[in-house]
Amino acid sequence: MSLPEIVSRAEWRAARAELLDKENAVTRALDALRAERRRLPMVPVDREYVFEGGDGKATLLDLFQGRQQLVVHHFVFEPEWETGCRCCSAFLDQIGHLAHLHARRTTFAAVSRAPFTRILPFKARMGWTVPWYSSDAGDFGADFGVVSERDGAAEGGELPARPGVSCFPRDGDRVFHTYSAHGRGLEGLGSTTSLLDLTALGRQEPWEEPRGRAHALGAPATPEHPRYHDEYDD
């Protein structure tokens, strides 16, 4: 096994300082990229989608659970499967406590094509508590790029499914689509801030560009610092 070079502490500090300059440049570049993402236009979602969850039938608006934003994990779980995709399962394992997202008026939910009767036992086996809905054989995944024509048709003529994340804000009862990511675009996601960084309202901090967007939609001018997850008033 090849390990890093052995050096003195002084040499390590010099190398670390040089790398830190590069890391800070990447952080600034990521801030600019996230601001550009928040400036993406949005598309009205006028089509009616029907999901099934723990409380029965639900619309896309219902999935918001009354909050301002919705982040959907397109979890690959095909109707004929007994268990879900292993990569999607590893992703869902990384999702933190949802109270911190809820404090930023953002709901997270998983959606799969498998019937809810198959989702439920697998969800229990994995010990997950995130909201999870079945889109059944509907077109929700295909409409938001989870089934990709670029990947070609799978055996039997059906297009292959792929994991993804899509973001939706709402204005009253009107729902909009602002962003989707797939493939390597999901790398590094899972923390509260990483998911918020995909959304139109972002982290809702005063320094974020475009300035004032989140506050104009009702977010506090000075967002509260993170609390223990059992201390939030949702």
Side-chain angles (χ1 to χ4, degrees):
M1 182 173 63
S2 178
L3 293 172
E5 179 186 2
I6 299 173
V7 298
S8 68
R9 177 60 63 180
E11 290 173 306
W12 179 87
R13 288 196 184 99
R16 179 68 188 95
E18 183 179 347
L19 181 61
L20 181 59
D21 289 339
K22 296 177 181 178
E23 289 174 339
N24 288 336
V26 170
T27 298
R28 290 189 292 270
L30 285 174
D31 283 342
L33 179 64
R34 291 161 184 154
E36 188 173 350
R37 183 187 292 132
R38 289 190 292 274
R39 290 190 177 96
L40 280 173
M42 61 186 187
V43 180
V45 181
D46 295 325
R47 187 169 181 177
E48 292 291 334
Y49 298 99
V50 178
F51 307 90
E52 184 177 2
D55 295 325
K57 300 295 183 182
T59 66
L60 185 59
L61 182 62
D62 292 330
L63 269 57
F64 282 73
Q65 298 180 342
R67 300 184 183 93
Q68 190 75 45
Q69 300 188 119
L70 171 66
V71 177
V72 169
H73 174 211
H74 301 284
F75 191 117
V76 178
F77 193 162
E78 295 300 282
E80 67 275 13
W81 295 0
E82 296 295 333
T83 56
C85 163
R86 285 181 168 84
C87 290
C88 295
S89 299
F91 177 86
L92 207 55
D93 278 336
Q94 299 175 85
I95 300 298
H97 202 289
L98 297 182
H100 302 293
L101 275 175
H102 296 171
R104 291 295 188 272
R105 304 176 307 149
T106 303
T107 297
F108 177 90
V111 172
S112 299
R113 295 207 313 151
F116 190 68
T117 53
R118 293 201 177 188
I119 290 174
L120 201 57
F122 183 63
K123 178 181 178 181
R125 169 187 165 184
M126 294 291 100
W128 293 322
T129 58
V130 300
W132 196 347
Y133 300 88
S134 170
S135 63
D136 203 7
D139 295 328
F140 180 74
D143 287 350
F144 295 100
V146 180
V147 176
S148 173
E149 294 183 5
R150 294 183 308 169
D151 296 334
E155 184 178 353
E158 293 187 359
L159 294 170
R162 57 179 179 166
V165 169
S166 292
C167 300
F168 305 90
R170 70 181 179 92
D171 183 6
D173 289 343
R174 294 201 70 191
V175 175
F176 300 87
H177 174 232
T178 57
Y179 185 75
S180 287
H182 310 93
R184 294 198 64 186
L186 275 63
E187 291 181 3
L189 298 181
S191 68
T192 297
T193 52
S194 69
L195 293 172
L196 290 173
D197 284 339
L198 302 181
T199 68
L201 300 187
R203 304 182 191 186
Q204 300 160 44
E205 299 285 352
W207 55 267
E208 285 183 305
E209 298 287 349
R211 297 290 179 94
R213 171 184 287 175
H215 309 142
L217 291 173
T222 305
E224 62 181 350
H225 293 294
R227 301 181 182 184
Y228 297 117
H229 66 247
D230 60 356
E231 290 183 344
Y232 288 112
D233 294 324
D234 187 14

